[in-house]
Amino acid sequence: NGRLGLGSAKHRSLPERVDALSAVCGVTCGANFSFFVTEAGRCLWACGGNSYGQLGIEATSALVPLPVPLPTSEVIAAIESGANHVICLTKPETSKAHRNSVWAWGNSSFGQCGRLEGVAENPESQRWPARLIDFSPPSPHFAVAVAAGRSHSAVLATKGPSLLTPPWSPSKTPTAPEKVSPEKAQQEDVIEEFLTCLVPTPAASRSKSPTASLVELGEAALLDGGPRSAPLRARRGQRLGGTHGLHGLRAAPKRPVGARRSMTPRTREPGRAAW
């Protein structure tokens, strides 16, 4: 019945582009039909079966998307479809008017199209878009969102005006996140870990990462250093609360000249770096 909008009723096993449309910003589909929103909500297109009037046009079916004449100059903010009906939310283009409109059409055998303007009784099917009276003046309910299931519809409303921005509005376009190279991310993580280890914390809660071990080795070197390390030891002791902050740290034993360094891990003792 042409629900794919590709110009024929043949099945497709692979995705194909719908060349008849451009600038598409929203889509929805039902049991055997599809809708497309284009031009930032200013145009509505439909294709597929139309046995219940769900396309909102006079044709019995459409193999390609055909324009749906909504009787309003408002912009489409949301559109949802059930099995054989459609519910649509429109908003004024001007920022001064805050009253949105709700439209419905298609199969209404279970009342899924709601109470419609200009319709005395709820028909079995509504073959063109009609406005719901429950969200039109003088109703105190202001519609802000719509949803649809197989044979039901739902409208979210507030008691009072509410600004609504469609998801395809330019003001809602997300900005591209800054791309960070893996090398830069790793460098930032190492720097953050290093700075975290400089903060005086209890020994039991201190991180056991290689960076923390490197910091402890540096502290041990300060204790075991020569005259040049005296100013560094003094400043380090001030940051840790005086010389008491250095208690529990012991210098690593010196290796004889020419001796090779063992890379085998050993059991870590309190206050000693495990390398």
Side-chain angles (χ1 to χ4, degrees):
N1 52 24
R3 73 194 76 178
L4 300 182
L6 297 175
S8 70
K10 296 181 180 180
H11 298 298
R12 301 293 198 278
S13 58
L14 296 174
E16 294 187 25
R17 183 189 301 272
V18 182
D19 295 326
L21 298 174
S22 61
V24 177
C25 56
V27 296
T28 186
C29 61
N32 63 346
F33 64 96
S34 303
F35 273 85
F36 308 89
V37 182
T38 63
E39 305 298 333
R42 293 177 175 82
C43 298
L44 182 63
W45 306 76
C47 60
N50 196 30
S51 55
Y52 296 94
Q54 60 265 45
L55 297 187
I57 57 179
E58 294 294 336
T60 57
S61 63
L63 299 178
V64 295
L66 299 178
V68 179
L70 276 176
T72 179
S73 59
E74 297 178 342
V75 177
I76 298 172
I79 184 169
E80 298 289 341
S81 57
N84 292 294
H85 77 285
V86 180
I87 185 167
C88 178
L89 181 68
T90 60
K91 66 177 292 292
E93 288 198 70
T94 60
S95 58
K96 295 182 180 180
H98 302 316
R99 169 80 69 168
N100 306 316
S101 300
V102 182
W103 306 79
W105 61 95
N107 184 13
S108 189
S109 57
F110 293 96
Q112 54 264 51
C113 289
R115 300 192 301 164
L116 305 174
E117 288 183 353
V119 180
E121 297 180 0
N122 290 333
E124 289 291 322
S125 61
Q126 175 67 27
R127 305 195 67 86
W128 61 87
R131 195 191 312 259
L132 271 69
I133 63 176
D134 295 284
F135 308 100
S136 302
S139 172
H141 304 293
F142 290 72
V144 294
V146 295
R150 178 181 176 85
S151 56
H152 68 276
S153 302
V155 179
L156 178 65
T158 60
K159 288 187 176 181
S162 176
L163 295 177
L164 173 66
T165 303
W168 43 75
S169 172
S171 61
K172 296 289 285 290
T173 302
T175 57
E178 181 183 358
K179 294 183 178 180
V180 181
S181 62
E183 294 79 7
K184 183 178 180 181
Q186 185 177 6
Q187 293 175 0
E188 292 179 351
D189 292 341
V190 171
I191 294 174
E192 182 179 359
E193 182 72 19
F194 180 79
L195 294 177
T196 303
C197 293
L198 291 180
V199 179
T201 56
S205 62
R206 186 169 293 181
S207 173
K208 306 303 181 182
S209 65
T211 304
S213 300
L214 179 62
V215 173
E216 293 184 1
L217 281 177
E219 293 173 347
L222 289 176
L223 293 176
D224 191 50
R228 294 184 179 181
S229 63
L232 297 177
R233 291 199 305 272
R235 289 197 296 270
R236 178 60 176 166
Q238 293 174 1
R239 283 200 301 270
L240 295 178
T243 57
H244 297 287
L246 297 178
H247 289 174
L249 296 177
R250 291 180 292 175
K254 296 183 178 180
R255 297 190 306 274
V257 178
R260 300 186 61 182
R261 180 179 180 180
S262 175
M263 301 303 294
T264 303
R266 56 186 173 81
T267 304
R268 181 176 179 178
E269 299 177 5
R272 185 184 296 273
W275 289 86

